[in-house]
Amino acid sequence: MAIPKDSINSVIGPGSIFEGKFYISGSLRIDGKFEGDIKTEESVVVGETGKVKTNIAAKEVVISGTLIGNIKAENEVRLESTAKVLGDISTPFLDLQRGVIAKGNINLTGPQKKDPKKTAEDSFGGIVES
């Protein structure tokens, strides 16, 4: 998943610090430091120098820097080799590169976007006790 640079309409640049609520129409790239709330229906990119403390909900999420918070992506999450993530990830597709540092739970729904537990139990042929 490559997010075209011309589709990103908001940037928090290197050396910048933003604290608060950032609600945007379009995609966001963070190369500085951000702490607060992000709301977008498009993409969020945390660059290699980005340091972010928030929960992210977006169509696509790419992390190359540091994120403390949960990710919920409608389409895909990509964790680049320099990514450091502390939080849970929920997405249909996860691209995880060698070198990533992460701690949290991962919930992969696949293309059908159904509950993974129910899908596995149905595939097994009934309820599975855990």
Side-chain angles (χ1 to χ4, degrees), residues 20-71:
K21 297 179 181 181
F22 203 166
Y23 302 159
I24 61 170
S25 175
S27 296
L28 170 64
R29 179 175 179 94
I30 303 169
D31 291 312
K33 189 172 183 180
F34 177 89
E35 187 171 345
D37 295 327
I38 296 174
K39 288 193 182 176
T40 181
E41 292 182 6
E42 294 301 323
S43 303
V44 174
V45 177
V46 177
E48 208 169 319
T49 59
K51 295 179 186 342
V52 177
K53 189 173 185 181
T54 187
N55 292 326
I56 297 174
K59 277 188 185 174
E60 290 121 4
V61 177
V62 178
I63 307 292
S64 299
T66 302
L67 171 71
I68 297 176
N70 299 324
I71 300 171

Side-chain angles (χ1 to χ4, degrees), residues 77-89:
V77 172
R78 179 179 175 96
L79 301 181
E80 301 284 345
S81 62
T82 53
K84 296 160 204 69
V85 177
L86 177 60
D88 298 341
I89 298 171

